[in-house]
Amino acid sequence: MFNEKVLSLVKQIPRGRVTTYREIARALGTKAYQAVGNALRSNPDAPFVPCHRVVKNDGCVGGYKGVKDSRVKAELLEKEGVIVTDGIIDMDKYLFSFHYPVS
DNA sequence: CGCTTGACACCGT
DNA sequence: AACGGTGCCAAGC
């Protein structure tokens, strides 16, 4: 299940860093970045899956548990050391990339 | 150049 | 099999 794969990658995100659905999808070797967001949407309650560290490719918070209003995500990131501004994260500073397979 | 909107494709259920 | 939901990309102005 993609869900499980996504969770595994998200779990690998180091604290104080953020990732994008796109990176996760690529790391999985798939282009279903949309499914990543969809999968996290139904698995944010997993204590092993800090989906709050996953943002859009633009650095905008894609939302939390399907709740776009959940500022807790931005606040949570700030607590980890990530500077979040109006829901926008400094990807240039916190964007964490997985090790892509040599394609 | 900057910003916005529309359309598309993918997965899960 | 279809629908829904999400994010990315492109084009247009």
Side-chain angles (χ1 to χ4, degrees):
Chain A
M1 203 175 234
F2 276 81
N3 258 53
E4 308 254 334
K5 301 176 104 182
V6 173
L7 309 186
S8 300
L9 289 174
V10 176
K11 279 156 62 174
Q12 291 169 69
I13 302 173
R15 177 190 173 277
R17 279 297 108 77
V18 283
T19 295
T20 73
Y21 301 102
R22 225 270 220 148
E23 295 288 306
I24 295 167
R26 282 200 175 214
L28 291 175
T30 182
K31 35 192 135 31
Y33 28 80
Q34 296 99 338
V36 178
N38 234 359
L40 292 177
R41 190 204 187 247
S42 292
N43 298 323
D45 57 301
F48 300 99
V49 184
C51 41
H52 66 267
R53 283 190 194 153
V54 187
V55 298
K56 300 212 328 187
N57 197 43
D58 316 273
C60 307
V61 179
Y64 195 48
K65 304 184 304 172
V67 185
K68 304 184 294 182
D69 261 39
S70 277
R71 275 174 238 272
V72 307
K73 185 175 177 181
E75 304 254 319
L76 205 55
L77 290 164
E78 289 186 313
K79 286 181 180 188
E80 304 213 337
V82 179
I83 310 302
V84 183
T85 304
D86 190 46
I88 314 301
I89 297 166
D90 239 297
M91 304 181 63
D92 294 298
K93 298 168 75 166
Y94 304 106
L95 177 53
F96 167 78
S97 302
F98 291 99
H99 176 253
Y100 299 119
V102 265
S103 90

